[in-house]
Amino acid sequence: MLASRIARPCARQYGQFIVSLRARYSSAASATEKTYEHIKVSTPRTGVALIQLHRPKALNALFTPLIGDLNSALHALDADPSIGATVLTGSEKAFAAGADILEMRDKTFADAYGNDFIESWSELYNTIRKPIISAVNGHALGGGCELAMMCDILYCSQKANFGQPEIKLGVIPGAGGSQRLTRAIGKSRAMELILTGKTFSGQDAYDWGLAARVFETSEQCVEGALNTAETIAGYSKIAVKACKEVVNKSQDLGVKEGVEFERRVFHGLFGSEDQKIGMKAFAEKRKAEWTDR
C-alpha cells in the first residue's frame, strides 16, 4: 500500500477539477452535516453521494486522518436512508498517489503489528453495505490502487495511472493489493507488476478486466460513475444490498457453496415487500415504487 513519491502539483491545478465538478452539481446538498478536513461530501443526484478525496498538496496521499474521515463519512452514508449508492473520486491529477511515506517511514515492527496499522483502511470493503463506485483519474498507486479496488465497481479514464510500486520501497502491498489485483487480472500479470513496480494505464485496467468501464476524459469518468450510481439508487435498497452480498460472497466460497448461499438469499427476498411490489409492477407493465422493506 506504499507508493513511490510523485511530484506534487500546485493546489490550483487540483482545485480546477474540484471547481468544475462543483459547478456541474451546484444544486447538490450536503449528504451529511459534518464537515471533514480531508474529503468533500455532496449529493449531486437523488439517492447518490459523491466523496472526493481532498489533500491537494499531497496528491491525495492516504494517511490515517484521511482514512478516518472517509470511514466516518461512509458509515454515515450507509446509515442514511436517502442514499442508495456512493461515488468515490479524487482530482484530475490523482485519485490517490499512494500512502503517505512520512506517516510510516519511522514505524517499527512493534508499532505496525502491535497497533494493527492500516487495518482500518479496509473498513470500506469489510463493513459498508451500500454499493461504492470508484471514479479513478490520474495516479492510483499503492494504497490508492488498493482503495480503488476495494470499491464494488471501478471506473477510470484512459490516462489513469495504476500500480503497486511497494517493491521500490523495500516492502509489499499491505491493504489487499496482492490479493485483489491477482484475482482481477491473473497471477502472472499481477506477479510481474508487483515484482517490478511497473505502472499500467486506465485503458490497460479495462482491457485486463480490472475496470468495468474506461472513459476518454476525467469529467466523463465521474459523470459515468454518477449515472451508474443513480441507476442503482433507483432500485430497492433491500435487493441492492442482497446483490452486493452475494457477489462478494463469491470471492470467499466455492461455486457449490456460493450457489447455495445465493439461493438462500434469493428465498429470503420473498419475505420483502419490494419483491411483491416489483413483480406486481412488472406484470402490470408499470414502474415499481419501492418501499425498501
Side-chain angles (χ1 to χ4, degrees):
M1 49 122 262
L2 301 173
S4 55
R5 294 191 181 194
I6 304 291
R8 297 177 178 178
C10 67
R12 183 173 60 184
Q13 290 175 306
Y14 178 96
Q16 289 173 347
F17 181 71
I18 301 299
V19 169
S20 69
L21 288 181
R22 288 177 181 168
R24 283 173 177 264
Y25 313 121
S26 57
S27 62
S30 175
T32 174
E33 295 299 323
K34 184 174 180 180
T35 299
Y36 301 94
E37 183 176 359
H38 303 294
I39 63 174
K40 303 293 184 182
V41 184
S42 60
T43 52
R45 308 278 183 87
T46 300
V48 176
L50 173 66
I51 298 178
Q52 295 170 281
L53 306 181
H54 188 66
R55 288 191 76 199
K57 294 182 180 180
L59 286 181
N60 293 333
L62 304 176
F63 72 149
T64 300
L66 183 152
I67 295 298
D69 281 355
L70 180 60
N71 287 341
S72 177
L74 287 171
H75 283 292
L77 293 168
D78 219 34
D80 187 338
S82 71
I83 298 300
T86 297
V87 173
L88 176 63
T89 193
S91 71
E92 189 171 20
K93 283 284 185 181
F95 175 76
D100 196 327
I101 307 302
L102 296 177
E103 181 182 21
M104 63 186 72
R105 66 182 180 184
D106 295 326
K107 286 187 179 295
T108 65
F109 169 77
D111 291 335
Y113 182 71
N115 296 311
D116 293 316
F117 179 55
I118 76 168
E119 183 179 21
S120 65
W121 296 33
S122 294
E123 280 194 36
L124 179 157
Y125 181 79
N126 292 330
T127 64
I128 304 304
R129 304 306 177 192
K130 294 176 182 177
I132 303 173
I133 304 172
S134 55
V136 180
N137 297 298
H139 300 299
L141 302 174
C145 185
E146 291 170 314
L147 180 62
M149 291 191 293
M150 287 181 205
C151 296
D152 302 300
I153 302 172
L154 195 162
Y155 283 179
C156 63
S157 55
Q158 291 176 346
K159 294 182 179 180
N161 183 37
F162 294 90
Q164 298 290 162
E166 289 84 355
I167 191 71
K168 297 179 180 180
L169 300 175
V171 291
I172 65 171
S178 65
Q179 307 303 300
R180 295 189 178 96
L181 189 62
T182 301
R183 285 178 178 271
I185 68 176
K187 177 186 174 182
S188 183
R189 186 169 279 147
M191 189 73 81
E192 178 190 34
L193 292 168
I194 291 170
L195 287 176
T196 64
K198 290 181 178 179
T199 61
F200 56 99
S201 70
Q203 187 64 54
D204 290 333
Y206 175 73
D207 292 341
W208 297 344
L210 179 64
R213 293 187 64 186
V214 63
F215 300 84
E216 185 174 350
T217 69
S218 55
E219 289 81 6
Q220 290 172 351
C221 176
V222 175
E223 188 76 13
L226 289 171
N227 289 340
T228 297
E230 187 174 30
T231 297
I232 294 170
Y235 293 123
S236 163
K237 291 183 178 62
I238 295 292
V240 167
K241 179 179 179 179
C243 284
K244 176 171 175 172
E245 185 176 9
V246 296
V247 173
N248 281 340
K249 189 64 72 172
S250 74
Q251 305 300 293
D252 303 324
L253 301 176
V255 174
K256 180 177 182 296
E257 293 81 7
V259 171
E260 290 175 350
F261 178 80
E262 177 192 75
R263 189 183 305 121
R264 294 297 175 261
V265 176
F266 171 73
H267 291 161
L269 288 174
F270 280 80
S272 72
E273 290 182 15
D274 281 350
Q275 176 267 330
K276 304 298 186 292
I277 290 170
M279 293 191 174
K280 183 178 181 182
F282 178 83
E284 296 175 355
K285 295 182 173 57
R286 59 176 175 81
K287 184 178 179 179
E289 297 182 3
W290 309 110
T291 65
D292 299 324
R293 294 194 294 271

